[in-house]
Amino acid sequence: MSYLNTNKLDINSFVSHRGLYIILVSTALVFFNTLYNGFVWDDWILMVPNKVYRTFDIGQMFFSKANSLEYLPFRDLTLAIDYKIWGMNPFGYHLSNLFFYLLSLIALYKVIEKLVILTDEKQDNSIPFWTTLIFALHPLHVEVVNFIAARNNILAGLFLFLSFNLCLAGIQRKNDILILLSAVPFIISLFSKANAVFYPLFLAVVLFFTPNIGISLRKKFLIFLLFSLMGLFAVWIHISNASSTSVISENLPRYGVHNLTVIMSRALQIPFFYLKKLILPYPLGIKYLEPFTTGGALLFPVLSLVYMMIVFFTVWVWRKRNLLVLLSVAWYFFSLGPVLNIFPTSPVVADRYAYFAVLSLGLLTAYLIKRNTGGRKVVIYAVIGVVLIWGYIDFFRNKIWASDITLWESELSINPDVKAEYAIALWNKGRYEEALGYLKKESEDKGSYEYSLYKGKYLFHLGKYDDAVKHYKKALAEGAGAIKETHLFIAQAYEKTGSDMLAMKHYLRVFDTKSQDPLGEYEGMASEGIERLKKRLEPELNGLRLEALNQPSVIEAQLKLATFLYDIGMYEASQEYYMNSLRLNPSRWDIWYNSALVYMRLYENEKAIKSFKRALELKPGDANALRNIGMVYMTMKEYAQAAGYFKTILERDPDDLYAAFTLGKIHFLSGDKEESKKYFLKTKALSKGNDVFLKSTNIFLEELN
């Protein structure tokens, strides 16, 4: 039998027999070359060195965060299984990605089959065929299939489609057990990737607006309630986790009503960014320059809102005749909801964020093919042509994911802002001189810190430790985002020169900073360094202990030991001797001050405040005590109290740059736009010659304007 002949294009008969098979084979052929790719980008940071996967630590996966950033236990479980089977051979990880992707296509095909029947489109196999084929081969999915660290998208899609399948099957068969069972893969989807939280909203559209549901209104509400509660629970878990790990950062502009315009204007434009990529997936990139208007020029956000309202109104009016169009539009906008950057994260947009949204293009195209009976053959051949072009793009775009160098070299050709990423890829391959050349250019263009940091690493590699320290400190002064590792490198260089106490100071600073350290690598190395130094400093410590023991009533002996213990990070022991000193002389302001510093290190905020206040009673107006007590109140998010202390500092010294900047930040976090702007403008006036404060201040002012 011929399914395609010159007289009649019997596509429905064709796809009903072989459609899914053709989709799977085509997809496997297009993405087969991904199996030859290596690990890239975040794979090296979050996955390759991860001990949780290597030890198959189920407890860590399900009761903590395996990569210290995200709670995605089912994603983590698949990576741990890969390690058990393949070790660190990237072939196996890419094979798993492709396997899960093909499974998700099967699940999607079956979902659309059921959805077609429920929407009164009869048994039309052309719709699931075209929907799934377009979803499978769209170039936006190249990133998801190739990027091991982005496997969470594929898994979330697989289990979401399985959940939808079970739910629709339960509705069709009037089987409540199947509907309840559909909650299980939905939970797995939610904790494979947070983006799946949109599903209850789309399910509501299906439940309340499709003609052939055939269940009571009460049951519809119960189903919607079940999935909504699971979604809300997952939202709470993911937001709490993201805030605690700085994925969503308090320093990012999301606090206070003054940010609402910025947030909403960006959110309104993001769907149209992805719409352009859906229709014309060129040029595709790895890190897009943020192309959104968020300041005073609100023309594009307003036009976006108007256009969306027109679309929603049109599909709503025509919903009875074109229900699949309504479902397509609803899926598109709902699926993008979690990636509208309402809670600012980085990057703002990425190909992988549109993973679910691609389905809407497939569904809409399939529906238009079905409806266009007159010129159907022409439309089908046109779609086949586009899909073939996509397959060609996919196949050759897969190759840029072969290694970090090919990835960032390709990206650099369209995005000059990834010089640092390309340079670091060169660095990791031992091409130090080339890497430093790109980093120097990046520093000249943007004033970034990476050149100083990697120049320091290069000098350290050459054994020039004093020069390395100078460059590391310069990186900190330039506003290093990698603060933990910079302090670690400074400590390692000092340790090489025999400056043990300076090394100890910077090893301890690694734990004081909040920059990201996903797998605890830097803190682990700092802990090892601290233990090494403690062994070397043990004779000196024992001598001070003996002196303090033999002279219990001599305050200086107690203070020397307390200070030494503090300097080597033994805070609880240090506090014991500060307390001994206060018993000997409770009127020494410096002992109260140092004791408060210890409480800060121990995160005993109330005791720290009490001790700082006692120090201020004994030495009124001390700037360091005022500054530190203000910082404690900031840690406790008691912004009004914190502001009072920094205002006191500024009253005493109107040129105190740190106090002005901190007051700007306090009012920013508490949502007082005018006060925040006032203090940041003052900071800008004071920060001439201080690039660190000037750079940070300009970022805040840009968001406030």
Side-chain angles (χ1 to χ4, degrees):
M1 177 180 179
S2 175
Y3 294 109
L4 290 171
N5 57 63
T6 56
N7 299 317
K8 183 179 180 182
L9 189 66
D10 190 5
I11 193 69
N12 191 55
S13 176
F14 173 68
V15 298
S16 67
H17 287 77
R18 299 177 182 174
L20 183 56
Y21 173 76
I22 286 175
I23 291 169
L24 296 176
V25 171
S26 301
T27 305
L29 288 173
V30 165
F31 289 104
F32 181 80
N33 59 342
T34 65
L35 304 182
Y36 301 102
N37 291 344
F39 298 123
V40 295
W41 199 1
D42 283 351
D43 293 344
W44 296 108
I45 300 169
L46 301 176
M47 195 269 293
V48 173
N50 198 319
K51 294 179 182 177
V52 174
Y53 303 145
R54 293 169 181 265
T55 59
F56 210 93
D57 190 339
I58 294 288
Q60 184 76 4
M61 282 184 257
F62 280 88
F63 300 103
S64 185
K65 297 180 285 288
N67 65 9
S68 300
L69 287 178
E70 307 159 301
Y71 180 65
L72 300 175
F74 298 102
R75 183 275 314 271
D76 296 330
L77 182 61
T78 67
L79 293 172
I81 291 171
D82 273 347
Y83 181 77
K84 277 287 184 184
I85 298 171
W86 306 101
M88 290 317 302
N89 184 349
F91 171 88
Y93 294 81
H94 286 290
L95 181 63
S96 294
N97 263 25
L98 183 55
F99 174 70
F100 289 129
Y101 190 55
L102 294 175
L103 284 181
S104 70
L105 299 180
I106 297 171
L108 173 59
Y109 189 95
K110 296 301 179 182
V111 164
I112 304 302
E113 277 186 334
K114 294 179 177 65
L115 205 56
V116 164
I117 296 171
L118 286 173
T119 54
D120 212 18
E121 293 292 341
K122 311 302 179 188
Q123 186 65 43
D124 189 333
N125 289 295
S126 68
I127 292 178
F129 173 78
W130 292 114
T131 301
T132 309
L133 182 67
I134 288 168
F135 181 85
L137 297 180
H138 198 285
L140 281 176
H141 286 178
V142 169
E143 180 172 311
V144 171
V145 178
N146 280 276
F147 193 12
I148 304 301
R151 177 184 295 177
N152 45 13
N153 294 275
I154 299 175
L155 292 172
L158 169 60
F159 288 103
L160 185 60
F161 299 149
L162 289 174
S163 174
F164 203 6
N165 257 305
L166 282 172
C167 188
L168 293 178
I171 290 169
Q172 287 175 330
R173 301 175 193 176
K174 296 185 171 27
N175 188 326
D176 293 344
I177 293 176
L178 284 178
I179 294 173
L180 287 172
L181 284 175
S182 71
V184 176
F186 180 52
I187 284 287
I188 296 174
S189 177
L190 288 170
F191 291 102
S192 295
K193 177 72 174 177
N195 291 8
V197 297
F198 77 91
Y199 173 64
L201 293 174
F202 180 75
L203 185 59
V205 177
V206 174
L207 288 171
F208 294 105
F209 298 106
T210 50
N212 296 333
I213 288 293
I215 57 176
S216 67
L217 187 62
R218 177 176 176 274
K219 185 173 287 187
K220 291 178 183 179
F221 275 112
L222 287 174
I223 294 171
F224 174 65
L225 182 63
L226 170 66
F227 284 91
S228 295
L229 290 175
M230 289 189 292
L232 289 172
F233 172 72
V235 167
W236 175 69
I237 292 290
H238 287 304
I239 289 179
S240 299
N241 175 72
S243 297
S244 67
T245 56
S246 298
V247 174
I248 294 174
S249 171
E250 290 188 359
N251 291 325
L252 288 170
R254 67 184 185 95
Y255 292 89
V257 295
H258 62 278
N259 298 300
L260 186 59
T261 301
V262 172
I263 291 169
M264 293 311 299
S265 63
R266 182 186 293 122
L268 287 169
Q269 294 171 83
I270 285 175
F272 295 95
F273 170 85
Y274 289 122
L275 184 61
K276 287 189 292 185
K277 295 297 179 184
L278 282 181
I279 297 170
L280 183 64
Y282 180 86
L284 295 176
I286 309 302
K287 296 183 75 173
Y288 294 106
L289 296 170
E290 187 179 339
F292 307 117
T293 303
T294 56
L298 296 177
L299 177 61
F300 289 114
V302 170
L303 288 176
S304 299
L305 179 60
V306 170
Y307 186 74
M308 276 192 278
M309 291 172 67
I310 293 171
V311 170
F312 292 149
F313 177 77
T314 303
V315 298
W316 178 255
V317 170
W318 291 350
R319 68 188 184 281
K320 290 184 179 179
R321 287 186 299 164
N322 303 280
L323 186 54
L324 281 179
V325 177
L326 172 64
L327 294 179
S328 175
V329 171
W331 179 277
Y332 180 75
F333 286 102
F334 288 157
S335 68
L336 289 178
V339 294
L340 294 181
N341 217 242
I342 302 298
F343 299 98
T345 57
S346 180
V348 174
V349 289
D351 288 357
R352 60 188 180 275
Y353 293 172
Y355 181 70
F356 282 119
V358 174
L359 170 56
S360 61
L361 177 66
L363 187 58
L364 184 60
T365 304
Y367 178 75
L368 293 176
I369 289 173
K370 179 180 180 298
R371 287 297 187 192
N372 189 16
T373 54
R376 193 177 188 194
K377 184 184 292 189
V378 174
V379 174
I380 288 174
Y381 285 138
V383 173
I384 290 172
V386 169
V387 169
L388 287 173
I389 293 170
W390 285 355
Y392 177 85
I393 293 170
D394 294 344
F395 186 82
F396 285 96
R397 190 160 173 78
N398 291 336
K399 295 182 178 181
I400 75 167
W401 288 85
S403 70
D404 279 324
I405 288 180
T406 57
L407 182 69
W408 297 115
E409 194 169 50
S410 171
E411 183 70 4
L412 189 61
S413 66
I414 60 172
N415 182 0
D417 275 2
V418 297
K419 291 187 189 74
E421 287 85 350
Y422 181 55
I424 292 167
L426 293 170
W427 178 275
N428 291 334
K429 290 296 183 181
R431 295 161 65 175
Y432 303 131
E433 298 289 351
E434 288 179 78
L436 288 172
Y438 277 100
L439 290 174
K440 187 172 184 179
K441 178 64 175 171
E442 174 84 350
S443 178
E444 291 169 354
D445 291 345
K446 297 169 62 178
S448 56
Y449 67 89
E450 284 91 350
Y451 174 72
S452 297
L453 180 65
Y454 279 84
K455 181 70 173 180
K457 291 177 73 172
Y458 184 63
L459 292 166
F460 183 93
H461 175 73
L462 296 176
K464 299 178 180 180
Y465 304 120
D466 290 330
D467 291 335
V469 168
K470 291 177 185 176
H471 280 82
Y472 290 145
K473 289 186 174 181
K474 186 181 178 185
L476 285 176
E478 290 167 343
I483 303 173
K484 279 185 182 292
E485 62 184 279
T486 308
H487 280 296
L488 175 68
F489 297 155
I490 292 172
Q492 290 172 335
Y494 273 134
E495 190 176 355
K496 288 288 187 180
T497 64
S499 305
D500 290 347
M501 293 306 293
L502 286 172
M504 180 67 81
K505 173 185 173 182
H506 286 279
Y507 278 133
L508 292 171
R509 289 291 301 276
V510 173
F511 297 92
D512 293 338
T513 58
K514 292 184 178 181
S515 58
Q516 289 187 357
D517 183 14
L519 300 181
E521 177 186 4
Y522 304 128
E523 290 189 2
M525 294 171 71
S527 294
E528 292 172 3
I530 289 168
E531 292 306 311
R532 282 196 305 272
L533 291 176
K534 280 183 179 178
K535 287 180 181 177
R536 290 215 290 267
L537 294 167
E538 192 171 356
E540 186 176 353
L541 175 60
N542 289 337
L544 290 172
R545 276 182 170 151
L546 185 61
E547 186 179 344
L549 181 64
N550 291 335
Q551 303 177 70
S553 59
V554 178
I555 194 168
E556 294 306 323
Q558 306 298 312
L559 284 176
K560 281 167 61 178
L561 177 56
T563 303
F564 191 85
L565 288 166
Y566 177 85
D567 289 342
I568 63 173
M570 298 178 67
Y571 300 124
E572 291 181 352
S574 172
Q575 193 66 283
E576 177 185 343
Y577 288 96
Y578 278 127
M579 291 297 102
N580 287 347
S581 302
L582 284 173
R583 281 190 285 271
L584 292 171
N585 186 353
S587 61
R588 289 266 302 262
W589 82 272
D590 58 321
I591 304 177
W592 285 105
Y593 176 81
N594 289 330
S595 174
L597 292 177
V598 178
Y599 283 131
M600 283 183 70
R601 291 288 184 271
L602 295 172
Y603 303 103
E604 297 185 35
N605 294 327
E606 297 293 345
K607 291 181 178 179
I609 289 170
K610 184 178 178 180
S611 294
F612 278 131
K613 285 182 176 180
R614 181 69 179 127
L616 285 169
E617 289 174 6
L618 295 167
K619 188 179 181 183
D622 181 75
N624 288 325
L626 290 167
R627 184 175 294 111
N628 279 301
I629 198 171
M631 293 305 298
V632 175
Y633 277 120
M634 280 191 72
T635 301
M636 298 168 68
K637 294 185 169 49
E638 295 186 16
Y639 298 125
Q641 294 274 21
Y645 285 94
F646 284 103
K647 283 178 181 177
T648 301
I649 296 172
L650 212 54
E651 287 167 3
R652 293 172 176 271
D653 181 4
D655 294 332
D656 192 302
L657 177 59
Y658 184 82
F661 177 81
T662 307
L663 279 166
K665 187 175 178 181
I666 288 170
H667 289 296
F668 183 90
L669 293 173
S670 58
D672 190 336
K673 178 179 180 179
E674 295 306 318
E675 284 294 295
S676 178
K677 192 172 183 179
K678 180 181 82 174
Y679 284 109
F680 279 129
L681 288 172
K682 181 176 178 63
T683 305
K684 188 172 183 177
L686 292 172
S687 59
K688 292 178 181 177
N690 191 319
D691 291 339
V692 177
F693 278 101
L694 187 59
K695 196 180 298 182
S696 299
T697 300
N698 285 334
I699 291 172
F700 280 106
L701 284 172
E702 184 179 340
E703 295 297 338
L704 288 166
N705 288 329

